PDB file of all heavy atoms in Angstrom:
ATOM      1  N   SER A 323      56.526 104.685  -1.740  1.00 97.00           N
ATOM      2  CA  SER A 323      57.372 105.581  -2.531  1.00 97.00           C
ATOM      3  C   SER A 323      56.467 106.631  -3.182  1.00 97.00           C
ATOM      4  O   SER A 323      55.241 106.439  -3.232  1.00 97.00           O
ATOM      5  CB  SER A 323      58.147 104.789  -3.591  1.00 97.00           C
ATOM      6  OG  SER A 323      57.245 104.016  -4.345  1.00 97.00           O
ATOM      7  N   PRO A 324      57.056 107.730  -3.659  1.00 97.00           N
ATOM      8  CA  PRO A 324      56.215 108.780  -4.256  1.00 97.00           C
ATOM      9  C   PRO A 324      55.503 108.269  -5.509  1.00 97.00           C
ATOM     10  O   PRO A 324      56.040 107.437  -6.235  1.00 97.00           O
ATOM     11  CB  PRO A 324      57.221 109.882  -4.617  1.00 97.00           C
ATOM     12  CG  PRO A 324      58.472 109.557  -3.889  1.00 97.00           C
ATOM     13  CD  PRO A 324      58.478 108.082  -3.671  1.00 97.00           C
ATOM     14  N   VAL A 325      54.298 108.763  -5.750  1.00 95.00           N
ATOM     15  CA  VAL A 325      53.565 108.399  -6.967  1.00 95.00           C
ATOM     16  C   VAL A 325      53.032 109.663  -7.640  1.00 95.00           C
ATOM     17  O   VAL A 325      52.790 110.684  -6.987  1.00 95.00           O
ATOM     18  CB  VAL A 325      52.372 107.447  -6.684  1.00 95.00           C
ATOM     19  CG1 VAL A 325      52.861 106.105  -6.178  1.00 95.00           C
ATOM     20  CG2 VAL A 325      51.382 108.066  -5.726  1.00 95.00           C
ATOM     21  N   GLU A 326      52.852 109.552  -8.958  1.00 93.00           N
ATOM     22  CA  GLU A 326      52.221 110.623  -9.729  1.00 93.00           C
ATOM     23  C   GLU A 326      50.751 110.269  -9.890  1.00 93.00           C
ATOM     24  O   GLU A 326      50.426 109.166 -10.317  1.00 93.00           O
ATOM     25  CB  GLU A 326      52.856 110.715 -11.124  1.00 93.00           C
ATOM     26  CG  GLU A 326      54.323 111.076 -11.125  1.00 93.00           C
ATOM     27  CD  GLU A 326      54.572 112.512 -10.680  1.00 93.00           C
ATOM     28  OE1 GLU A 326      53.693 113.378 -10.925  1.00 93.00           O
ATOM     29  OE2 GLU A 326      55.627 112.748 -10.078  1.00 93.00           O
ATOM     30  N   ARG A 327      49.888 111.186  -9.505  1.00 88.00           N
ATOM     31  CA  ARG A 327      48.462 110.937  -9.715  1.00 88.00           C
ATOM     32  C   ARG A 327      47.792 112.236 -10.112  1.00 88.00           C
ATOM     33  O   ARG A 327      47.929 113.236  -9.419  1.00 88.00           O
ATOM     34  CB  ARG A 327      47.817 110.356  -8.455  1.00 88.00           C
ATOM     35  CG  ARG A 327      46.322 110.196  -8.595  1.00 88.00           C
ATOM     36  CD  ARG A 327      45.682 109.305  -7.558  1.00 88.00           C
ATOM     37  NE  ARG A 327      46.104 107.932  -7.726  1.00 88.00           N
ATOM     38  CZ  ARG A 327      46.688 107.207  -6.784  1.00 88.00           C
ATOM     39  NH1 ARG A 327      46.948 107.736  -5.628  1.00 88.00           N
ATOM     40  NH2 ARG A 327      47.009 105.962  -7.021  1.00 88.00           N
ATOM     41  N   GLU A 328      47.045 112.201 -11.218  1.00 87.00           N
ATOM     42  CA  GLU A 328      46.304 113.369 -11.722  1.00 87.00           C
ATOM     43  C   GLU A 328      47.186 114.613 -11.748  1.00 87.00           C
ATOM     44  O   GLU A 328      46.806 115.689 -11.273  1.00 87.00           O
ATOM     45  CB  GLU A 328      45.029 113.593 -10.897  1.00 87.00           C
ATOM     46  CG  GLU A 328      43.963 112.537 -11.177  1.00 87.00           C
ATOM     47  CD  GLU A 328      43.058 112.272  -9.975  1.00 87.00           C
ATOM     48  OE1 GLU A 328      43.009 113.116  -9.076  1.00 87.00           O
ATOM     49  OE2 GLU A 328      42.429 111.192  -9.958  1.00 87.00           O
ATOM     50  N   GLY A 329      48.392 114.427 -12.274  1.00 93.00           N
ATOM     51  CA  GLY A 329      49.263 115.573 -12.506  1.00 93.00           C
ATOM     52  C   GLY A 329      49.982 116.095 -11.274  1.00 93.00           C
ATOM     53  O   GLY A 329      50.675 117.110 -11.342  1.00 93.00           O
ATOM     54  N   ARG A 330      49.832 115.435 -10.137  1.00 92.00           N
ATOM     55  CA  ARG A 330      50.604 115.895  -8.997  1.00 92.00           C
ATOM     56  C   ARG A 330      51.342 114.729  -8.356  1.00 92.00           C
ATOM     57  O   ARG A 330      50.987 113.567  -8.563  1.00 92.00           O
ATOM     58  CB  ARG A 330      49.724 116.633  -7.982  1.00 92.00           C
ATOM     59  CG  ARG A 330      48.732 115.760  -7.271  1.00 92.00           C
ATOM     60  CD  ARG A 330      47.759 116.594  -6.444  1.00 92.00           C
ATOM     61  NE  ARG A 330      46.940 115.716  -5.622  1.00 92.00           N
ATOM     62  CZ  ARG A 330      47.209 115.414  -4.362  1.00 92.00           C
ATOM     63  NH1 ARG A 330      48.239 115.944  -3.742  1.00 92.00           N
ATOM     64  NH2 ARG A 330      46.423 114.593  -3.695  1.00 92.00           N
ATOM     65  N   THR A 331      52.338 115.070  -7.583  1.00 95.00           N
ATOM     66  CA  THR A 331      53.145 114.044  -6.934  1.00 95.00           C
ATOM     67  C   THR A 331      52.654 113.857  -5.504  1.00 95.00           C
ATOM     68  O   THR A 331      52.524 114.838  -4.760  1.00 95.00           O
ATOM     69  CB  THR A 331      54.627 114.464  -6.917  1.00 95.00           C
ATOM     70  OG1 THR A 331      55.035 114.684  -8.264  1.00 95.00           O
ATOM     71  CG2 THR A 331      55.499 113.382  -6.298  1.00 95.00           C
ATOM     72  N   ILE A 332      52.376 112.604  -5.160  1.00 94.00           N
ATOM     73  CA  ILE A 332      52.060 112.274  -3.776  1.00 94.00           C
ATOM     74  C   ILE A 332      53.352 111.752  -3.155  1.00 94.00           C
ATOM     75  O   ILE A 332      53.952 110.805  -3.667  1.00 94.00           O
ATOM     76  CB  ILE A 332      50.950 111.215  -3.696  1.00 94.00           C
ATOM     77  CG1 ILE A 332      49.669 111.753  -4.359  1.00 94.00           C
ATOM     78  CG2 ILE A 332      50.686 110.804  -2.249  1.00 94.00           C
ATOM     79  CD1 ILE A 332      48.525 110.753  -4.415  1.00 94.00           C
ATOM     80  N   ALA A 333      53.799 112.357  -2.082  1.00 97.00           N
ATOM     81  CA  ALA A 333      55.057 111.962  -1.442  1.00 97.00           C
ATOM     82  C   ALA A 333      54.907 110.594  -0.776  1.00 97.00           C
ATOM     83  O   ALA A 333      53.794 110.162  -0.463  1.00 97.00           O
ATOM     84  CB  ALA A 333      55.451 113.003  -0.401  1.00 97.00           C
ATOM     85  N   ALA A 334      56.036 109.943  -0.567  1.00 98.00           N
ATOM     86  CA  ALA A 334      56.025 108.706   0.210  1.00 98.00           C
ATOM     87  C   ALA A 334      55.491 109.006   1.612  1.00 98.00           C
ATOM     88  O   ALA A 334      55.767 110.075   2.181  1.00 98.00           O
ATOM     89  CB  ALA A 334      57.431 108.125   0.306  1.00 98.00           C
ATOM     90  N   SER A 335      54.748 108.062   2.158  1.00 98.00           N
ATOM     91  CA  SER A 335      54.247 108.225   3.524  1.00 98.00           C
ATOM     92  C   SER A 335      55.400 108.052   4.510  1.00 98.00           C
ATOM     93  O   SER A 335      56.461 107.546   4.165  1.00 98.00           O
ATOM     94  CB  SER A 335      53.148 107.199   3.801  1.00 98.00           C
ATOM     95  OG  SER A 335      52.133 107.267   2.809  1.00 98.00           O
ATOM     96  N   THR A 336      55.170 108.468   5.752  1.00 98.00           N
ATOM     97  CA  THR A 336      56.230 108.476   6.773  1.00 98.00           C
ATOM     98  C   THR A 336      55.786 107.662   7.984  1.00 98.00           C
ATOM     99  O   THR A 336      54.601 107.352   8.132  1.00 98.00           O
ATOM    100  CB  THR A 336      56.515 109.915   7.235  1.00 98.00           C
ATOM    101  OG1 THR A 336      55.304 110.473   7.770  1.00 98.00           O
ATOM    102  CG2 THR A 336      56.987 110.772   6.067  1.00 98.00           C
ATOM    103  N   TRP A 337      56.748 107.308   8.820  1.00 98.00           N
ATOM    104  CA  TRP A 337      56.407 106.609  10.064  1.00 98.00           C
ATOM    105  C   TRP A 337      57.416 106.958  11.140  1.00 98.00           C
ATOM    106  O   TRP A 337      58.550 107.326  10.841  1.00 98.00           O
ATOM    107  CB  TRP A 337      56.367 105.099   9.847  1.00 98.00           C
ATOM    108  CG  TRP A 337      57.693 104.463   9.600  1.00 98.00           C
ATOM    109  CD1 TRP A 337      58.541 103.941  10.533  1.00 98.00           C
ATOM    110  CD2 TRP A 337      58.350 104.297   8.336  1.00 98.00           C
ATOM    111  NE1 TRP A 337      59.665 103.459   9.930  1.00 98.00           N
ATOM    112  CE2 TRP A 337      59.583 103.661   8.581  1.00 98.00           C
ATOM    113  CE3 TRP A 337      58.015 104.631   7.015  1.00 98.00           C
ATOM    114  CZ2 TRP A 337      60.485 103.361   7.566  1.00 98.00           C
ATOM    115  CZ3 TRP A 337      58.902 104.325   6.008  1.00 98.00           C
ATOM    116  CH2 TRP A 337      60.121 103.689   6.284  1.00 98.00           C
ATOM    117  N   ARG A 338      56.961 106.849  12.396  1.00 98.00           N
ATOM    118  CA  ARG A 338      57.854 107.000  13.542  1.00 98.00           C
ATOM    119  C   ARG A 338      57.320 106.153  14.686  1.00 98.00           C
ATOM    120  O   ARG A 338      56.129 106.165  14.977  1.00 98.00           O
ATOM    121  CB  ARG A 338      57.969 108.462  13.971  1.00 98.00           C
ATOM    122  CG  ARG A 338      59.058 108.684  15.044  1.00 98.00           C
ATOM    123  CD  ARG A 338      59.531 110.136  15.079  1.00 98.00           C
ATOM    124  NE  ARG A 338      58.532 111.043  15.614  1.00 98.00           N
ATOM    125  CZ  ARG A 338      58.370 111.299  16.913  1.00 98.00           C
ATOM    126  NH1 ARG A 338      59.128 110.704  17.817  1.00 98.00           N
ATOM    127  NH2 ARG A 338      57.445 112.160  17.312  1.00 98.00           N
ATOM    128  N   HIS A 339      58.231 105.428  15.335  1.00 98.00           N
ATOM    129  CA  HIS A 339      57.845 104.512  16.403  1.00 98.00           C
ATOM    130  C   HIS A 339      57.715 105.236  17.744  1.00 98.00           C
ATOM    131  O   HIS A 339      58.295 106.289  17.940  1.00 98.00           O
ATOM    132  CB  HIS A 339      58.891 103.398  16.554  1.00 98.00           C
ATOM    133  CG  HIS A 339      58.942 102.476  15.378  1.00 98.00           C
ATOM    134  ND1 HIS A 339      57.925 101.596  15.094  1.00 98.00           N
ATOM    135  CD2 HIS A 339      59.858 102.319  14.394  1.00 98.00           C
ATOM    136  CE1 HIS A 339      58.228 100.921  14.002  1.00 98.00           C
ATOM    137  NE2 HIS A 339      59.389 101.340  13.542  1.00 98.00           N
ATOM    138  N   ASP A 340      56.984 104.593  18.648  1.00 97.00           N
ATOM    139  CA  ASP A 340      56.929 104.993  20.057  1.00 97.00           C
ATOM    140  C   ASP A 340      56.485 106.443  20.238  1.00 97.00           C
ATOM    141  O   ASP A 340      57.214 107.277  20.774  1.00 97.00           O
ATOM    142  CB  ASP A 340      58.294 104.742  20.726  1.00 97.00           C
ATOM    143  CG  ASP A 340      58.617 103.247  20.754  1.00 97.00           C
ATOM    144  OD1 ASP A 340      57.749 102.470  21.188  1.00 97.00           O
ATOM    145  OD2 ASP A 340      59.715 102.862  20.305  1.00 97.00           O
ATOM    146  N   VAL A 341      55.288 106.689  19.776  1.00 98.00           N
ATOM    147  CA  VAL A 341      54.695 108.024  19.856  1.00 98.00           C
ATOM    148  C   VAL A 341      53.417 107.919  20.681  1.00 98.00           C
ATOM    149  O   VAL A 341      52.699 106.918  20.600  1.00 98.00           O
ATOM    150  CB  VAL A 341      54.374 108.541  18.429  1.00 98.00           C
ATOM    151  CG1 VAL A 341      53.651 109.872  18.474  1.00 98.00           C
ATOM    152  CG2 VAL A 341      55.645 108.640  17.595  1.00 98.00           C
ATOM    153  N   GLU A 342      53.162 108.934  21.498  1.00 98.00           N
ATOM    154  CA  GLU A 342      51.875 109.015  22.199  1.00 98.00           C
ATOM    155  C   GLU A 342      50.898 109.686  21.247  1.00 98.00           C
ATOM    156  O   GLU A 342      51.054 110.872  20.929  1.00 98.00           O
ATOM    157  CB  GLU A 342      52.009 109.830  23.488  1.00 98.00           C
ATOM    158  CG  GLU A 342      53.030 109.271  24.487  1.00 98.00           C
ATOM    159  CD  GLU A 342      52.649 107.890  24.991  1.00 98.00           C
ATOM    160  OE1 GLU A 342      51.466 107.661  25.305  1.00 98.00           O
ATOM    161  OE2 GLU A 342      53.564 107.024  25.061  1.00 98.00           O
ATOM    162  N   ILE A 343      49.924 108.939  20.801  1.00 98.00           N
ATOM    163  CA  ILE A 343      49.000 109.451  19.780  1.00 98.00           C
ATOM    164  C   ILE A 343      47.635 109.710  20.420  1.00 98.00           C
ATOM    165  O   ILE A 343      46.996 108.774  20.936  1.00 98.00           O
ATOM    166  CB  ILE A 343      48.841 108.440  18.621  1.00 98.00           C
ATOM    167  CG1 ILE A 343      50.211 108.076  18.031  1.00 98.00           C
ATOM    168  CG2 ILE A 343      47.909 108.993  17.550  1.00 98.00           C
ATOM    169  CD1 ILE A 343      50.164 106.916  17.041  1.00 98.00           C
ATOM    170  N   PRO A 344      47.179 110.975  20.404  1.00 98.00           N
ATOM    171  CA  PRO A 344      45.830 111.238  20.917  1.00 98.00           C
ATOM    172  C   PRO A 344      44.791 110.779  19.893  1.00 98.00           C
ATOM    173  O   PRO A 344      44.915 111.067  18.704  1.00 98.00           O
ATOM    174  CB  PRO A 344      45.807 112.761  21.086  1.00 98.00           C
ATOM    175  CG  PRO A 344      46.838 113.284  20.143  1.00 98.00           C
ATOM    176  CD  PRO A 344      47.843 112.188  19.898  1.00 98.00           C
ATOM    177  N   VAL A 345      43.797 110.052  20.369  1.00 98.00           N
ATOM    178  CA  VAL A 345      42.803 109.455  19.473  1.00 98.00           C
ATOM    179  C   VAL A 345      41.428 110.024  19.819  1.00 98.00           C
ATOM    180  O   VAL A 345      41.017 109.995  20.986  1.00 98.00           O
ATOM    181  CB  VAL A 345      42.783 107.922  19.630  1.00 98.00           C
ATOM    182  CG1 VAL A 345      41.742 107.304  18.699  1.00 98.00           C
ATOM    183  CG2 VAL A 345      44.170 107.333  19.363  1.00 98.00           C
ATOM    184  N   ARG A 346      40.732 110.513  18.805  1.00 98.00           N
ATOM    185  CA  ARG A 346      39.381 111.019  19.022  1.00 98.00           C
ATOM    186  C   ARG A 346      38.370 110.080  18.360  1.00 98.00           C
ATOM    187  O   ARG A 346      38.541 109.698  17.192  1.00 98.00           O
ATOM    188  CB  ARG A 346      39.228 112.434  18.435  1.00 98.00           C
ATOM    189  CG  ARG A 346      37.987 113.161  18.932  1.00 98.00           C
ATOM    190  CD  ARG A 346      37.914 114.587  18.416  1.00 98.00           C
ATOM    191  NE  ARG A 346      37.571 114.646  17.002  1.00 98.00           N
ATOM    192  CZ  ARG A 346      36.324 114.542  16.518  1.00 98.00           C
ATOM    193  NH1 ARG A 346      35.296 114.372  17.332  1.00 98.00           N
ATOM    194  NH2 ARG A 346      36.105 114.593  15.220  1.00 98.00           N
ATOM    195  N   VAL A 347      37.359 109.708  19.119  1.00 98.00           N
ATOM    196  CA  VAL A 347      36.294 108.849  18.606  1.00 98.00           C
ATOM    197  C   VAL A 347      35.281 109.747  17.898  1.00 98.00           C
ATOM    198  O   VAL A 347      34.703 110.645  18.498  1.00 98.00           O
ATOM    199  CB  VAL A 347      35.630 108.069  19.756  1.00 98.00           C
ATOM    200  CG1 VAL A 347      34.462 107.246  19.250  1.00 98.00           C
ATOM    201  CG2 VAL A 347      36.665 107.185  20.454  1.00 98.00           C
ATOM    202  N   VAL A 348      35.082 109.504  16.603  1.00 98.00           N
ATOM    203  CA  VAL A 348      34.207 110.379  15.823  1.00 98.00           C
ATOM    204  C   VAL A 348      32.751 110.159  16.208  1.00 98.00           C
ATOM    205  O   VAL A 348      31.991 111.109  16.382  1.00 98.00           O
ATOM    206  CB  VAL A 348      34.415 110.118  14.311  1.00 98.00           C
ATOM    207  CG1 VAL A 348      33.439 110.949  13.478  1.00 98.00           C
ATOM    208  CG2 VAL A 348      35.862 110.442  13.907  1.00 98.00           C
ATOM    209  N   ASP A 349      32.347 108.900  16.335  1.00 92.00           N
ATOM    210  CA  ASP A 349      30.936 108.592  16.592  1.00 92.00           C
ATOM    211  C   ASP A 349      30.858 107.410  17.552  1.00 92.00           C
ATOM    212  O   ASP A 349      30.953 106.259  17.141  1.00 92.00           O
ATOM    213  CB  ASP A 349      30.242 108.273  15.259  1.00 92.00           C
ATOM    214  CG  ASP A 349      28.801 107.824  15.454  1.00 92.00           C
ATOM    215  OD1 ASP A 349      28.286 107.914  16.599  1.00 92.00           O
ATOM    216  OD2 ASP A 349      28.186 107.388  14.470  1.00 92.00           O
ATOM    217  N   PRO A 350      30.660 107.685  18.861  1.00 93.00           N
ATOM    218  CA  PRO A 350      30.636 106.582  19.835  1.00 93.00           C
ATOM    219  C   PRO A 350      29.436 105.658  19.663  1.00 93.00           C
ATOM    220  O   PRO A 350      29.374 104.612  20.300  1.00 93.00           O
ATOM    221  CB  PRO A 350      30.603 107.298  21.191  1.00 93.00           C
ATOM    222  CG  PRO A 350      30.429 108.738  20.922  1.00 93.00           C
ATOM    223  CD  PRO A 350      30.500 108.998  19.458  1.00 93.00           C
ATOM    224  N   LYS A 351      28.503 106.038  18.787  1.00 94.00           N
ATOM    225  CA  LYS A 351      27.334 105.176  18.545  1.00 94.00           C
ATOM    226  C   LYS A 351      27.596 104.176  17.427  1.00 94.00           C
ATOM    227  O   LYS A 351      26.820 103.244  17.228  1.00 94.00           O
ATOM    228  CB  LYS A 351      26.115 106.031  18.200  1.00 94.00           C
ATOM    229  CG  LYS A 351      25.595 106.852  19.370  1.00 94.00           C
ATOM    230  CD  LYS A 351      24.182 107.361  19.064  1.00 94.00           C
ATOM    231  CE  LYS A 351      23.688 108.296  20.138  1.00 94.00           C
ATOM    232  NZ  LYS A 351      24.417 109.588  20.121  1.00 94.00           N
ATOM    233  N   HIS A 352      28.672 104.382  16.674  1.00 97.00           N
ATOM    234  CA  HIS A 352      28.968 103.438  15.593  1.00 97.00           C
ATOM    235  C   HIS A 352      29.359 102.087  16.208  1.00 97.00           C
ATOM    236  O   HIS A 352      30.100 102.056  17.197  1.00 97.00           O
ATOM    237  CB  HIS A 352      30.100 103.981  14.719  1.00 97.00           C
ATOM    238  CG  HIS A 352      30.250 103.223  13.434  1.00 97.00           C
ATOM    239  ND1 HIS A 352      30.835 101.981  13.362  1.00 97.00           N
ATOM    240  CD2 HIS A 352      29.858 103.528  12.171  1.00 97.00           C
ATOM    241  CE1 HIS A 352      30.810 101.562  12.102  1.00 97.00           C
ATOM    242  NE2 HIS A 352      30.226 102.479  11.353  1.00 97.00           N
ATOM    243  N   PRO A 353      28.887 100.974  15.632  1.00 98.00           N
ATOM    244  CA  PRO A 353      29.204  99.672  16.231  1.00 98.00           C
ATOM    245  C   PRO A 353      30.704  99.401  16.380  1.00 98.00           C
ATOM    246  O   PRO A 353      31.113  98.681  17.301  1.00 98.00           O
ATOM    247  CB  PRO A 353      28.573  98.674  15.246  1.00 98.00           C
ATOM    248  CG  PRO A 353      27.486  99.436  14.566  1.00 98.00           C
ATOM    249  CD  PRO A 353      27.949 100.859  14.501  1.00 98.00           C
TER     250      PRO A 353
END
Side-chain angles (χ1 to χ4, degrees):
S323 53
V325 294
E326 297 291 329
R327 175 164 293 123
E328 288 150 19
R330 68 189 188 95
T331 302
I332 299 176
S335 306
T336 59
W337 70 91
R338 188 158 71 86
H339 293 290
D340 295 310
V341 175
E342 301 297 317
I343 305 170
V345 180
R346 195 176 73 81
V347 176
V348 176
D349 175 9
K351 291 196 186 70
H352 193 284

